[in-house]
Amino acid sequence: GTADRLCGADEVNQAVKAAKSAFGYWSKMSGMERARIMIDAAHIIENRREEIAEMEVVNNGKSITEARLDVDSARLCIEYYAGLASTLAGQHVQLAGGSFAYTRREPLGVCAGIGAWNYPFQIAAWKSAPALACGNSMVFKPSPVTPVTAVLLAEIYAKAGAPEGLFNVVQGGQETGSLLCHHPDVAKVSFTGSVPTGQKIMEMASKGIKPVTLELGGKSPLIIFEDSDVENAVKGALMANFLSQGQVCSNGTRVFVQKDILPEFVDEVVKRTRAISIGDPLLESTRMGALVSRLHLDKVLFHVQQAKAEGAKVLCGGEPFVPSDPKLRGGYYMSPCVLGDCTDDMTCVKEEIFGPVMSVLSFETEEEALRRANDTTLGLAAGVFTRDVKRAHRVVEHLKAGSCFINNYNVTPVEVPFGGFKMSGIGRENGQVTIEFYSQMKTVFVEMGDVDSLF
């Protein structure tokens, strides 16, 4: 059973101890030396792309097409931070009388990474790459729902020549996570998941004054103006809602459409949503696989019923889907859903559903769209479609969200930071700035004269 596979205090201590000992060796290497090993890991990922992607499909249920892109993103992230590993540097500051100061950017130590089940392999890479580039080691706990591919990443780092225990995987749920957060030898916690769990993690980390990176939920707005290229806006809305069966924290699930183009937009979105091919995630032709669990599927389907009860109109989908292949009869599939006639006070518009459910809302003015878009405690992402250059930048300036998109959605290149405002999180992943979240600054003052004493 699962019980004997979960890591308790002994296993967590063992993992942290191994990571601590690897840290001693790894942190003394030059950035160039660390980069070599990371690049080798990236090459192994590239060579094993298909195998890892297939494993991810089995792990999570998403389509093979998307799983391959996740593997690519993981590899690119490791390549990107390998490139930054040798650029970690401080500053030299000249002071009066020949004295000077310099700063050093130093690693934190053992970092804890806690992953979510929607992008298991990618998240493991997004958390470990900047940590390792900065000279840290990491103990990583994948979601108990998707325990498999993080272990593959650990094997890959080891094969690439990383010291033993540099990237260590522990399996388990809340309890294992809590042991990591409270561990005296863990210097930092990076977590991806829900807001309530994020709050708990921040609280646990506060006991040891440990810094946290939190990538939490979203209820992100996508604002589509009447002057948009409708074809692209529709494609953007589909990308904003149906990637990974809708199980994406940055999804733009509140689609605000300006009144004049609403009928045209809705027709096209519904037509395309109905055409999404659902079924065996290992088939090339499949565009939407299975949701992650029976429990989660039931929760998402309940949200659709609730939306209906509150007056939203189910324009398509929102039902359990039974694939034609008898082997898949018991699978956790549902048809992607578009909800029309939505209003801001509906549960489907206020709460994160985390499934393939798009809520379409109508608006008239830019000012109104912005007010309604920002009326949420979350602020992970936001998008705007318009042909008006000034409007695009003006609206984005006022959107309270960490990752904003103009005329596209859910594009996350590893070169740019990703993360939320408000209750959607703290810190960033990817981009150059993340180096600051995985290192600490030491200031060294050097006196070149005599001590000028007041005593």
Side-chain angles (χ1 to χ4, degrees):
T2 320
D4 47 302
R5 282 206 303 273
L6 301 184
C7 294
D10 289 352
E11 288 86 356
V12 169
N13 287 337
Q14 215 182 319
V16 172
K17 200 175 158 188
K20 195 178 173 181
S21 127
F23 169 73
Y25 172 77
W26 184 251
S27 58
K28 291 185 178 52
M29 287 165 75
S30 72
M32 287 293 276
E33 291 171 307
R34 291 199 291 266
R36 286 252 356 222
I37 289 173
M38 291 177 70
I39 288 290
D40 282 350
H43 285 319
I44 297 171
I45 292 173
E46 194 166 17
N47 293 332
R48 294 174 61 181
R49 179 186 191 227
E50 200 58 24
E51 173 209 344
I52 300 167
E54 281 178 20
M55 192 80 90
E56 192 73 315
V57 171
V58 175
N59 200 24
N60 159 282
K62 65 173 71 190
S63 75
I64 183 74
T65 311
E66 279 193 45
R68 286 186 193 122
L69 299 176
D70 294 359
V71 175
D72 292 345
S73 171
R75 168 181 61 81
L76 289 165
C77 182
I78 294 169
E79 283 177 9
Y80 177 77
Y81 285 108
L84 284 184
S86 59
T87 67
L88 296 172
Q91 209 185 6
H92 171 275
V93 184
Q94 193 60 56
L95 300 164
S99 291
F100 63 94
Y102 62 91
T103 57
R104 292 166 50 93
R105 200 165 264 299
E106 297 185 357
L108 299 164
V110 178
C111 298
I114 300 176
W117 48 255
N118 56 345
Y119 285 85
F121 190 75
Q122 179 179 303
I123 289 173
W126 279 22
K127 291 197 187 308
S128 58
L132 300 191
C134 292
N136 305 286
S137 57
M138 177 168 270
V139 177
F140 185 82
K141 187 195 82 63
S143 160
V145 187
T146 53
V148 184
T149 45
V151 179
L152 276 185
L153 183 62
E155 282 173 21
I156 288 165
Y157 280 133
K159 257 204 189 78
E164 199 183 333
L166 184 71
F167 178 79
N168 249 343
V169 177
V170 291
Q171 300 286 3
Q174 258 178 323
E175 216 160 293
T176 312
S178 156
L179 287 166
L180 273 176
C181 293
H182 285 124
H183 200 291
D185 285 332
V186 165
K188 179 215 163 98
V189 182
S190 175
F191 168 76
T192 299
S194 71
V195 175
T197 310
Q199 288 168 323
K200 283 191 197 117
I201 285 192
M202 199 169 175
E203 204 177 306
M204 291 190 278
S206 75
K207 306 274 190 292
I209 320 285
K210 303 180 204 286
V212 290
T213 292
L214 302 173
E215 295 289 349
L216 310 175
K219 192 68 196 170
S220 303
L222 173 55
I223 306 174
I224 294 166
F225 287 97
E226 60 198 2
D227 66 347
S228 303
D229 174 329
V230 176
E231 165 81 354
N232 275 316
V234 166
K235 289 198 282 196
L238 296 170
M239 289 300 278
N241 281 276
F242 299 141
L243 278 179
S244 204
Q245 296 76 253
Q247 301 166 141
V248 183
C249 39
S250 56
N251 269 357
T253 50
R254 293 183 293 144
V255 181
F256 293 93
V257 186
Q258 207 157 8
K259 204 163 130 244
D260 286 357
I261 58 162
L262 186 65
E264 179 190 356
F265 175 87
V266 167
D267 280 354
E268 192 56 31
V269 149
V270 168
K271 195 174 90 193
R272 281 183 177 244
T273 302
R274 283 206 174 107
I276 292 171
S277 128
I278 315 164
D280 185 346
L282 285 167
L283 292 179
E284 293 285 335
S285 58
T286 298
R287 281 296 161 266
M288 188 172 282
L291 274 73
V292 79
S293 68
R294 165 67 58 199
L295 201 68
H296 188 62
L297 172 64
D298 291 342
K299 194 187 121 190
V300 175
L301 290 169
F302 175 74
H303 265 288
V304 176
Q305 290 317 307
Q306 195 176 15
K308 226 154 102 175
E310 290 179 23
K313 200 166 163 206
V314 178
L315 302 175
C316 69
E319 293 165 338
F321 178 85
V322 181
S324 49
D325 182 345
K327 288 203 296 291
L328 303 175
R329 282 287 151 92
Y332 316 134
Y333 298 93
M334 71 174 277
S335 47
C337 177
V338 179
L339 298 172
D341 299 346
C342 294
T343 54
D344 294 351
D345 54 356
M346 291 178 179
T347 311
C348 62
V349 176
K350 282 157 80 168
E351 287 180 21
E352 185 173 39
I353 297 174
F354 221 61
V357 182
M358 178 194 303
S359 300
V360 181
L361 303 107
S362 171
F363 77 92
E364 296 194 23
T365 68
E366 178 183 318
E367 185 258 352
E368 168 212 347
L370 270 169
R371 190 189 71 247
R372 293 167 62 196
N374 286 331
D375 184 20
T376 166
T377 56
L378 300 167
L380 187 51
V384 52
F385 272 82
T386 177
R387 282 198 180 95
D388 179 336
V389 172
K390 283 185 183 167
R391 175 193 270 154
H393 296 292
R394 183 172 64 232
V395 168
V396 158
E397 183 190 340
H398 291 107
L399 284 168
K400 293 181 172 48
S403 300
C404 294
F405 303 93
I406 295 176
N407 294 332
N408 207 334
Y409 203 90
N410 268 340
V411 188
T412 51
V414 297
E415 300 94 324
V416 295
F418 176 84
F421 280 12
K422 299 194 276 190
M423 288 182 81
S424 285
I426 289 179
R428 290 294 175 265
E429 293 192 313
N430 294 339
Q432 235 171 315
V433 69
T434 300
I435 293 299
E436 291 176 26
F437 296 108
Y438 278 102
S439 58
Q440 54 195 350
M441 184 58 79
K442 176 181 283 179
T443 300
V444 183
F445 175 87
V446 183
E447 178 57 68
M448 297 300 281
D450 292 328
V451 174
D452 190 6
S453 172
L454 291 172
F455 308 104

